[in-house]
Amino acid sequence: MSQSYSNWMDKVYLAAMVVAGFSLLVMTIIIPIGIFSRYVLNRGESWPEPVAIICMVTFTFIGAAVSYRAGSHIAVNMLTDRLPAAAQTFCARVVDLLMLLISGVMFYYSYFLCADLWEQPVAEFPILTSGQTYLPLPVGAVLLMLFVIERLLFGSQENRPVVLLGNHG
């Protein structure tokens, strides 16, 4: 069971990494286009900023789940590094449980945010609604919950080959 769940999480992890990376790439392409059109062509386009914001939200919330699984999220370990091994393990479990709680709260509120704004159109993109643009929030929360559950059940996954992909440290 643990191996099949972790293999499934590997696929989810890679897909989330591709989505986060693609949104970062699109964002870095779109912002200069907006700057060029505003200052060189003297014509401010309305679409680059909202596209960049959507990409930033996607990169942030999907990328946060990816970085949590990889163990590359920001952590301050000054206190816990000085504790005995048993206390370190206890603190790590408490942190994981708090992450699960925070992810659940984030999912709850972001789900209702998306539902409430689902019919409200985005002025710059009439084909998109505001609810659709906020979808990375609940999706990122679900991904984070899945990765936290994996860590709680099977331990850290930082040394899995798929997570180490591209790391030369």
Side-chain angles (χ1 to χ4, degrees), residues 40-134:
V40 175
L41 301 177
N42 207 19
R43 185 181 81 200
E45 299 290 341
S46 63
W47 62 269
E49 184 181 352
V51 170
I53 290 171
I54 292 168
C55 289
M56 183 184 65
V57 168
T58 302
F59 171 73
T60 300
F61 286 93
I62 306 296
V66 168
S67 76
Y68 181 82
R69 186 172 194 239
S72 59
H73 58 295
I74 296 173
V76 179
N77 299 329
M78 186 172 56
L79 175 66
T80 56
D81 286 347
R82 289 167 175 73
L83 295 174
Q88 287 181 7
T89 303
F90 175 77
C91 287
R93 290 290 181 204
V94 168
V95 166
D96 290 336
L97 290 171
L98 289 172
M99 283 298 297
L100 194 60
L101 176 69
I102 290 167
S103 300
V105 169
M106 188 171 78
F107 174 77
Y108 178 82
Y109 285 106
S110 64
Y111 171 82
F112 287 108
L113 175 69
C114 288
D116 289 346
L117 297 176
W118 197 257
E119 299 297 323
Q120 181 179 337
V122 176
E124 294 81 5
F125 296 110
I127 60 169
L128 281 179
T129 67
S130 292
Q132 292 166 340
T133 63
Y134 287 116

Side-chain angles (χ1 to χ4, degrees), residues 2 9-10 13 34 38 59 82 93 97 104 114 123 136 140 147 150:
S2 69
M9 287 294 101
D10 285 346
Y13 172 81
R38 175 167 287 140
F59 171 73
R82 289 167 175 73
R93 290 290 181 204
L97 290 171
C114 288
F147 294 150
E150 180 186 36

Side-chain angles (χ1 to χ4, degrees), residues 121-157:
V122 176
E124 294 81 5
F125 296 110
I127 60 169
L128 281 179
T129 67
S130 292
Q132 292 166 340
T133 63
Y134 287 116
L135 273 177
L137 280 73
V139 170
V142 167
L143 290 173
L144 194 52
M145 284 190 283
L146 290 172
F147 294 150
V148 170
I149 290 168
E150 180 186 36
R151 183 182 294 241
L152 283 168
L153 295 177
F154 312 117
S156 175
Q157 303 297 308

Side-chain angles (χ1 to χ4, degrees), residues 7-27:
N7 288 339
W8 187 67
M9 287 294 101
D10 285 346
K11 291 176 179 68
V12 170
Y13 172 81
L14 285 174
M17 191 184 320
V18 166
V19 168
F22 183 73
S23 65
L24 182 62
L25 176 69
V26 170
M27 185 176 65

